[in-house]
Amino acid sequence: MLSAVLALVPIPAPATFQTWKPGVQAVTYDPAVVPVGATAQVAFSSTGQNLWVELEVTGLVPGHAYGAHMHVAGCGRDPKAAGPHYQHRPDPVSPSVDPAYANPANEIWLDFTADARGAATVRHEQQWMFADDRLPKSLVLHAETTRTGPGVAGMAGARVGCLDLPFGYGTGGGR
């Protein structure tokens, strides 16, 4: 049962963004937007029916608005390694830009604007649980907030940072 999986996953200490190399948990793809040394931490909790996700970041660009989404694959040298957004009900077309699938109720969107110190905390509740056999593997930071219109739904600009999640360390050589 997934709630048991979440209960067993220790929440790691905040990960520090670095340039890509094997074993790095948090990768910056654009140090001007996600500076080396910035940190991110994702926490999950559940009742067994609903899922709560919290993202806490520090050291980012003050006042910058970021898109943030869960992705299906782990971080890698190439920002595209994380694959498409994790969707509770997957769109048969990829990349998904259909608002019926690419929306904050079907995906996990954690968009935020960094405060004057470059920090932010954002929480989101989903009315569903992860499938036991299909967990997100990473959280990707995007250069812009997420769009919602037809043909652009889910798009949020360049992938500027990536954090491997505790139950899905990715191709970037993480755990």
Side-chain angles (χ1 to χ4, degrees), residues 30 58 72 77 80 84 101 135 137 154 162 169-170:
D30 185 344
T58 64
V72 301
R77 180 186 308 265
K80 294 179 184 175
Y101 294 93
L135 300 171
K137 304 293 191 281
C162 186
Y169 291 102

Short mmCIF file of all heavy atoms in Angstrom, two decimals, residues 30 58 72 77 80 84 101 135 137 154 162 169-170:
data_model
loop_
_atom_site.label_atom_id
_atom_site.label_comp_id
_atom_site.label_asym_id
_atom_site.label_seq_id
_atom_site.Cartn_x
_atom_site.Cartn_y
_atom_site.Cartn_z
N ASP A 30 20.90 25.75 -15.11
CA ASP A 30 21.11 27.17 -15.40
C ASP A 30 21.44 27.88 -14.08
O ASP A 30 20.54 28.32 -13.36
CB ASP A 30 19.85 27.78 -16.04
CG ASP A 30 20.06 29.21 -16.48
OD1 ASP A 30 21.04 29.86 -16.05
OD2 ASP A 30 19.21 29.70 -17.26
N THR A 58 15.60 27.30 -0.94
CA THR A 58 16.37 28.44 -0.45
C THR A 58 17.46 28.76 -1.48
O THR A 58 17.83 27.90 -2.28
CB THR A 58 17.06 28.17 0.91
OG1 THR A 58 18.03 27.12 0.73
CG2 THR A 58 16.06 27.77 1.99
N VAL A 72 8.37 11.97 -14.41
CA VAL A 72 8.31 10.51 -14.40
C VAL A 72 9.66 9.82 -14.30
O VAL A 72 9.73 8.64 -13.95
CB VAL A 72 7.56 9.95 -15.62
CG1 VAL A 72 6.14 10.47 -15.67
CG2 VAL A 72 8.29 10.24 -16.92
N ARG A 77 22.21 14.32 -16.85
CA ARG A 77 23.05 15.38 -17.42
C ARG A 77 22.22 16.30 -18.31
O ARG A 77 22.37 17.51 -18.31
CB ARG A 77 24.19 14.76 -18.21
CG ARG A 77 25.13 15.78 -18.84
CD ARG A 77 26.17 15.14 -19.75
NE ARG A 77 26.91 14.08 -19.14
CZ ARG A 77 28.11 14.22 -18.53
NH1 ARG A 77 28.68 15.40 -18.48
NH2 ARG A 77 28.71 13.19 -18.01
N LYS A 80 16.28 17.01 -20.28
CA LYS A 80 15.17 16.20 -20.79
C LYS A 80 15.12 14.81 -20.16
O LYS A 80 14.13 14.10 -20.31
CB LYS A 80 15.26 16.08 -22.31
CG LYS A 80 15.06 17.39 -23.03
CD LYS A 80 15.20 17.20 -24.53
CE LYS A 80 15.08 18.54 -25.25
NZ LYS A 80 15.32 18.40 -26.69
N PRO A 84 8.48 13.45 -19.12
CA PRO A 84 7.31 14.33 -18.99
C PRO A 84 6.84 14.44 -17.54
O PRO A 84 7.31 13.72 -16.66
CB PRO A 84 6.26 13.65 -19.87
CG PRO A 84 6.63 12.20 -19.85
CD PRO A 84 8.14 12.17 -19.75
N TYR A 101 -5.63 16.94 -19.23
CA TYR A 101 -4.62 16.12 -18.55
C TYR A 101 -3.57 16.99 -17.85
O TYR A 101 -3.15 16.67 -16.74
CB TYR A 101 -3.92 15.20 -19.55
CG TYR A 101 -4.81 14.16 -20.15
CD1 TYR A 101 -5.47 14.39 -21.35
CD2 TYR A 101 -5.01 12.94 -19.51
CE1 TYR A 101 -6.29 13.43 -21.91
CE2 TYR A 101 -5.84 11.97 -20.06
CZ TYR A 101 -6.47 12.21 -21.26
OH TYR A 101 -7.29 11.27 -21.80
N LEU A 135 5.55 5.74 -9.45
CA LEU A 135 5.87 6.88 -8.60
C LEU A 135 6.65 7.92 -9.39
O LEU A 135 7.42 7.57 -10.28
CB LEU A 135 6.72 6.42 -7.41
CG LEU A 135 6.09 5.38 -6.49
CD1 LEU A 135 7.12 4.86 -5.50
CD2 LEU A 135 4.91 5.98 -5.75
N LYS A 137 9.72 10.35 -10.12
CA LYS A 137 11.14 10.14 -9.81
C LYS A 137 11.89 11.43 -9.55
O LYS A 137 12.99 11.39 -9.00
CB LYS A 137 11.80 9.39 -10.96
CG LYS A 137 11.15 8.06 -11.33
CD LYS A 137 11.28 7.04 -10.24
CE LYS A 137 10.89 5.65 -10.67
NZ LYS A 137 9.49 5.36 -10.72
N GLY A 154 0.52 23.11 -19.08
CA GLY A 154 1.63 22.41 -18.47
C GLY A 154 3.00 22.94 -18.84
O GLY A 154 3.99 22.59 -18.20
N CYS A 162 16.78 20.26 -11.23
CA CYS A 162 16.11 18.97 -11.06
C CYS A 162 16.56 18.36 -9.73
O CYS A 162 17.75 18.38 -9.40
CB CYS A 162 16.48 18.04 -12.21
SG CYS A 162 15.58 16.46 -12.22
N TYR A 169 15.40 7.74 -7.12
CA TYR A 169 16.64 8.35 -7.59
C TYR A 169 16.93 7.94 -9.01
O TYR A 169 16.74 6.80 -9.39
CB TYR A 169 17.81 8.01 -6.66
CG TYR A 169 17.65 8.67 -5.33
CD1 TYR A 169 17.22 7.96 -4.23
CD2 TYR A 169 17.88 10.03 -5.19
CE1 TYR A 169 17.04 8.57 -3.00
CE2 TYR A 169 17.71 10.65 -3.97
CZ TYR A 169 17.29 9.92 -2.89
OH TYR A 169 17.10 10.54 -1.68
N GLY A 170 17.38 8.93 -9.80
CA GLY A 170 17.34 8.75 -11.24
C GLY A 170 18.62 8.42 -11.93
O GLY A 170 19.59 7.98 -11.34
#
